[in-house]
Amino acid sequence: FLFLTFNGNYSRADTLSEINVYLKSLNEFSCNFIQASPSGDISEGHMVYSENKIKINYVIPTKITFVAKKNKAMYFNEDLMEVEYFNPNKTAYKFFKSLFNLENLKTDSYKVTKEENVVKLELSVDSVEEVFEFIVIFENNPLLLKKIQWTDVEGLSTFSIYDLRTSIEINKKTF
C-alpha cells in the first residue's frame, strides 16, 4: 500500500506524478552538497549524476572521489593515494539509483508524506544489509531535491543538496 499523510487537499496520484516528472527531469544534473556523518563529521563537495552514474568529489575535509555506475564503484582518497573498488548495490547508492526509477517500484516499497513546504519519500530498505532507512526530502512548490538521509549500522547520515543545476553538459570522461 502507498501511505500518504497530508495537510490540505491534494491528490495522491498528482503528488506521485509530480515526483516522477521532476525526477525524470533530473536525468543529468550537478549540485554541491554538505554531508554529515553519524560521528558528526562534516564533508563538502560536488556531485554529478547522469542516468544511473554518479561522481562525487569531496573537497572538505579530505579530497576523495567516489564514482559508481551499474554494479561497480570506486573510492579514491587523493591524500592517501588509495583506491578501493566495491559493489555499490550493498550501499545507500542502491536506493539513490532506484529513486530515478520510481515508477518501476512496487507501490508498497515506498511511502510519501506531504506537508505544506516539504515532500518526503521513504524507500523500503529490505534489500540492503546495512541500511535501515532511506528518505529523500524535496522542497515543495516548486518541487526541488534538497536532502537525502539514511540510517545504517553507524547511525544517521545526511546529504544536503544546494545549487542543483540541470542545464549541464557532461563529458564522457566524467565517469
Side-chain angles (χ1 to χ4, degrees), residues 35-39 90-96 121-137 147-159:
Q35 182 175 338
S37 71
S39 65
K90 295 184 178 185
T91 69
Y93 176 68
K94 179 176 182 171
F95 295 101
F96 183 78
L121 175 65
E122 183 175 347
L123 296 171
S124 175
V125 293
D126 298 344
S127 57
V128 174
E129 302 160 5
E130 297 181 0
V131 178
F132 307 116
E133 180 180 66
F134 191 88
I135 298 174
V136 181
I137 300 170
K147 182 187 279 188
I148 298 168
Q149 61 186 41
W150 63 95
T151 305
D152 59 20
V153 293
E154 296 178 12
L156 175 69
S157 294
T158 60
F159 194 88

Side-chain angles (χ1 to χ4, degrees), residues 34-136:
I34 297 173
Q35 182 175 338
S37 71
S39 65
D41 293 335
I42 303 293
S43 301
E44 294 182 39
H46 182 76
M47 178 176 82
V48 176
Y49 174 82
S50 177
E51 301 174 359
N52 291 323
K53 296 176 279 197
I54 191 169
K55 182 175 184 178
I56 298 174
N57 290 314
Y58 291 90
V59 293
I60 297 173
T62 307
K63 290 186 178 188
I64 296 172
T65 301
F66 169 83
V67 178
K69 54 186 175 180
K70 297 184 183 178
N71 296 325
K72 297 178 183 178
M74 180 214 50
Y75 171 95
F76 174 59
N77 184 321
E78 289 183 45
D79 295 336
L80 301 175
M81 297 304 290
E82 293 179 346
V83 176
E84 181 181 337
Y85 296 93
F86 60 94
N87 182 347
N89 291 324
K90 295 184 178 185
T91 69
Y93 176 68
K94 179 176 182 171
F95 295 101
F96 183 78
K97 252 188 353 184
S98 68
L99 173 65
F100 294 94
N101 296 301
L102 194 58
E103 75 277 356
N104 297 330
L105 299 178
K106 295 178 186 177
T107 56
D108 65 349
S109 65
Y110 58 90
K111 71 178 181 178
V112 176
T113 306
K114 185 173 183 179
E115 299 169 4
E116 186 174 332
N117 298 318
V118 175
V119 176
K120 292 182 183 180
L121 175 65
E122 183 175 347
L123 296 171
S124 175
V125 293
D126 298 344
S127 57
V128 174
E129 302 160 5
E130 297 181 0
V131 178
F132 307 116
E133 180 180 66
F134 191 88
I135 298 174
V136 181

